[in-house]
Amino acid sequence: MKKYCCCAGKEDADIVVIGSGVGGLCCGSMLARYGEDVLVLESHDNPGGAAHSFEIKGYHFDSGPSLFSGLSSRGPQANPLAQVFDALGEAVDCVQYDSWMVHIPEGQFLSRIGPTEFYKDLQHVAGSNAVADWRKLQEAVLPLSAAAMALPPAAIRTDWGALVTVLARYGPQLLKTFVQMGPHGAMRASKLLGPFSELVDSLGIQNSFVRNWIDLLSFLLSGLKADGTLAAEIVYMFGEWYKPGCVLEYPCGGTGAIVDALVRGLKKHGGRLALNTHVDSIVVEEGRAVGVKLRDGRFVQARKAVVSNASTWDTVSLLPPDAVPKELQTRAKDTPQCDSFMHLHLGIDAKDLPSDLEIHHIVVNDWSQGVDAPQNVVLISVPSVLDPSLAPAGKHVLHAYTPGSEPYSLWKDLDRQSAAYRQLKAERSEVLWRAVEKALGPGFSREKCEVKLVGTPLTHERFLRRNRGTYGPAIRAGKGLFPMPSTPVDGLFCCGDSVFPGIGIPAVAASGLVTANSLASVSQHSKFLDAIGV
C-alpha cells in the first residue's frame, strides 16, 4: 500500500476539491489534466474515501466496494472510471473472473455472468417458468443497453457547451440508435428514465424468483429495490454482465490500486493532495465560494471554484448558515437517506478452507422480508482468493457487510466507549458471522481469526465523514432526480454520490468527469473526448 505525504504546499489553488473519494479524485485529476492548479484536501490519513484501503498485520483490507467490471474497457461504452484512467495515461492491473456464490433460501448456486450461463442456474434453482421470464427480460433489455450507453457520461457538461459535446457530437448517433430499435424498442427506451420495475411490469414478468433477483441486483447497485432504481442503471449493468464475452474484474492490490492510479494521475498533471487536512468550513464572500478554512485555522484560497466531494448534507453543514441558499437548505432537508452498514473485516488462516473458494458470496436470509430489510442481505468478499498478495502466505483477507441496510437510529445516541455500544456491536454483527460461517463452511473458526474488526454506522460516520453513516441519497426513480454539479452558490460545485448520476463507483467517477468538464472550456473538453476515442 502506498504511503502519501501531507503536502499542500502553497495555500491557494485555482480549484480546491474537498475530499479524495473516487469522485473527488476523478474530478481533481481531470481538472489537473485540463491545466488547472488543483489542490485536493483530505481529512483522513489515506485517500480514497469509501474506497480507501488499510493494512493491519500484513492483511490489506478494502473498506468498501469490491465488485468491479469494465476497469479495462475503452471507447464510448467504457466504464467512466476506465475513461478517466485512459485520459490520465494510467491503468490498473486486474484479475478476471466470471462468477460469485449465492446463498439463498432455495439453496446455493454459483451465479455466472454472460448471456446463457445464468439460464442453467435459474433452471436448477427456480425452474422453467423463471427461465422463460428471464429470457423475456434479457431479450427486451439487452437491445436497450445500446441506448443507455449511446451517450458517454464523459461528454456531459452543465453549460451551453453541451450543445457541442453532447448534441452535435452524439445527437445523430442517438437518433440512429432509436430508429434502429423500431417503435416497440423506442417505447421501451422511453422507460429508461423511470424505475426499472415499470419496464419489468410492462413485460409481464411475474416469476417470484426473477422479481426477487431483480430487486437484489437493483439494491446492490443503488441502495433501492427495482421500484426505486433508475431503469437506465440496470440496463447499463445488463450490458456489462449479460453480453457475450463479459467478465468481472478485481484490481490487483485491491481498491487501493484504483486510488493509487488516480493519485498518480493527479500528481502527474501537476495536481496536489493534502492528507490529514480537515476542512472546517467553506468560505463565502459576497455570495461566492472563495476558498476553505481548515481546522487549524488556515485559509486556502480557491481562485476559480471549490468542489465538494462530500454528501449534500455534509456540504451544507460546511457552509456558513447565512450563506446557504434556500434551494440547498431544501435539498438537504428533503433528500431521503439510505441506511448505513455493519462491517466485518477478518484476517483468517486458509488451511482448512475450501481450495475452490469463490471471491464473492451473497447471502439472502428471507426473500419475504425484502432485500432492503435490516440484517437480511450480507455481502462477503475474499479478494485474496484472486490476489494472494493481499494477505500473508497461507492466509485470506475477508470483508463482510450489510449493504446500506443498517438503521442509524439504533446507534445515534451511543457513546463509542460504552458497554452498551460494545454489546450492540456484538449483537448486530452476529448476522455477519453467521453468513461467513455459511459461506466458508466448517473449516472456518471465529476463534482462529488473526484480525477481527467490527464496524458500525458510527464507524462509517466518523472515518468517512458521512452524515449519519449513510450509503447515500435514496432518491427514487420517477420521484426525483439527482442534481447536477453546479449549486446556487457561485463558484461552488459538487461531485460524488449526491449528484448525477448517483451511487456506485462508475456513477461517482462519472460525476467527477461531469464536474471537471463543466469547469473546462469546450475546446479542452472536445480534445479530451478525441483523445480517449469517444
Side-chain angles (χ1 to χ4, degrees):
M1 183 182 300
K2 287 273 182 85
K3 294 294 183 183
Y4 300 91
C5 37
C6 173
C7 48
K10 59 178 182 174
E11 293 179 358
D12 67 322
D14 291 337
I15 297 168
V16 172
V17 180
I18 304 170
S20 68
V22 168
L25 287 175
C26 285
C27 180
S29 59
M30 283 302 302
L31 285 167
R33 186 190 183 279
Y34 281 139
E36 302 290 355
D37 177 19
V38 179
L39 174 58
V40 179
L41 303 175
E42 171 58 51
S43 181
H44 203 288
D45 56 5
N46 270 327
H52 81 274
S53 295
F54 61 97
E55 182 268 334
I56 294 177
K57 296 182 179 179
Y59 292 93
H60 298 269
F61 294 101
D62 293 336
S63 65
S66 54
L67 183 62
F68 299 94
S69 61
L71 293 179
S72 304
S73 57
R74 294 293 182 269
Q77 296 183 354
N79 184 316
L81 180 57
Q83 292 179 331
V84 173
F85 288 151
D86 199 10
L88 298 176
E90 293 292 339
V92 174
D93 292 331
C94 294
V95 183
Q96 295 184 339
Y97 63 105
D98 63 1
S99 60
W100 65 87
M101 186 60 72
V102 178
H103 307 263
I104 52 178
E106 294 88 342
Q108 68 178 43
F109 67 95
L110 186 66
S111 178
R112 293 156 290 186
I113 65 171
T116 60
E117 292 302 313
F118 190 55
Y119 290 132
K120 302 173 187 177
D121 304 328
L122 275 177
Q123 182 65 47
H124 173 70
V125 174
S128 56
N129 287 338
V131 171
D133 267 0
W134 186 260
R135 180 173 284 111
K136 186 190 302 182
L137 179 67
Q138 194 166 335
E139 288 174 352
V141 165
L142 284 179
L144 291 179
S145 66
M149 296 178 170
L151 178 61
I156 299 173
R157 55 187 298 129
T158 60
D159 60 7
W160 64 268
L163 295 173
V164 176
T165 62
V166 174
L167 290 182
R169 195 176 186 102
Y170 297 100
Q173 182 58 42
L174 283 167
L175 181 60
K176 181 180 178 182
T177 299
F178 277 93
V179 169
Q180 289 174 339
M181 293 174 70
H184 291 295
M187 282 290 291
R188 286 176 182 157
S190 68
K191 297 182 182 295
L192 286 174
L193 297 181
F196 188 58
S197 60
E198 288 187 359
L199 179 58
V200 176
D201 291 342
S202 73
L203 296 170
I205 305 295
Q206 296 183 348
N207 181 269
S208 60
F209 182 86
V210 172
R211 298 293 301 226
N212 284 330
W213 188 256
I214 290 168
D215 271 341
L216 178 63
L217 294 179
S218 300
F219 181 63
L220 298 180
L221 187 65
S222 74
L224 297 168
K225 295 193 294 186
D227 60 0
T229 301
L230 194 68
E233 289 187 68
I234 303 296
V235 169
Y236 186 93
M237 181 272 294
F238 261 76
E240 290 251 306
W241 287 9
Y242 295 109
K243 278 189 174 179
C246 57
V247 293
L248 298 171
E249 295 173 309
Y250 185 78
C252 296
T255 55
I258 291 174
V259 175
D260 288 347
L262 292 172
V263 172
R264 286 197 306 270
L266 172 72
K267 293 184 176 181
K268 178 194 301 182
H269 293 281
R272 293 169 286 149
L273 170 66
L275 301 177
N276 297 303
T277 307
H278 187 98
V279 173
D280 210 42
S281 61
I282 298 169
V283 178
V284 178
E285 294 179 356
E286 297 180 354
R288 179 177 178 81
V290 296
V292 299
K293 182 180 178 182
L294 306 182
R295 176 180 282 168
D296 62 12
R298 285 180 294 159
F299 169 68
V300 181
Q301 180 186 8
R303 290 184 290 271
K304 294 185 178 180
V306 174
V307 177
S308 176
N309 185 207
S311 72
T312 291
W313 309 282
D314 295 297
T315 298
V316 167
S317 72
L318 290 173
L319 288 165
D322 60 355
V324 182
K326 186 175 181 180
E327 179 183 335
L328 270 184
Q329 290 177 344
T330 302
R331 184 189 302 177
K333 177 176 175 290
D334 293 348
T335 300
Q337 290 183 341
C338 294
D339 283 329
S340 189
F341 296 79
M342 289 296 300
H343 291 277
L344 183 64
H345 288 94
L346 302 177
I348 57 180
D349 196 322
K351 184 178 67 171
D352 296 322
L353 300 182
S355 59
D356 59 350
L357 188 65
E358 291 291 319
I359 176 177
H360 295 303
H361 300 254
I362 299 176
V363 179
V364 180
N365 293 314
D366 184 355
W367 289 121
S368 68
Q369 290 186 34
V371 294
D372 54 351
Q375 305 252 296
N376 194 32
V377 174
V378 176
L379 301 188
I380 301 168
S381 175
V382 194
S384 49
V385 165
L386 298 181
D387 183 1
S389 72
L390 296 173
K395 312 292 183 180
H396 276 315
V397 60
L398 181 148
H399 178 206
Y401 58 99
T402 53
S405 60
E406 179 69 7
Y408 181 82
S409 58
L410 298 176
W411 302 85
K412 66 177 182 178
D413 295 324
L414 291 179
D415 179 345
R416 290 185 295 103
Q417 306 302 320
S418 68
Y421 178 69
R422 290 192 294 273
Q423 180 178 342
L424 191 60
K425 279 178 70 173
E427 293 172 359
R428 300 297 290 181
S429 63
E430 182 61 26
V431 68
L432 301 175
W433 286 106
R434 290 199 302 268
V436 171
E437 289 168 341
K438 178 181 289 188
L440 270 56
F444 170 75
S445 169
R446 300 188 191 190
E447 290 70 30
K448 293 181 181 179
C449 294
E450 298 179 7
V451 177
K452 301 179 186 178
L453 300 173
V454 176
T456 73
L458 299 189
T459 313
H460 221 66
E461 181 180 48
R462 178 184 174 213
F463 281 97
L464 301 181
R465 294 185 68 190
R466 297 284 289 187
N467 182 268
R468 297 170 61 87
T470 181
Y471 181 30
I475 298 175
R476 302 183 64 84
K479 301 292 177 69
L481 296 171
F482 280 88
M484 296 305 280
S486 58
T487 76
V489 178
D490 190 25
L492 177 62
F493 293 76
C494 292
C495 66
D497 59 16
S498 282
V499 296
F500 172 86
I503 290 176
I505 290 289
V508 297
S511 81
L513 271 173
V514 173
T515 305
N517 295 340
S518 301
L519 287 163
S521 71
V522 173
S523 173
Q524 288 173 315
H525 188 182
S526 297
K527 289 177 181 177
F528 152 60
L529 295 174
D530 291 338
I532 64 170
V534 300

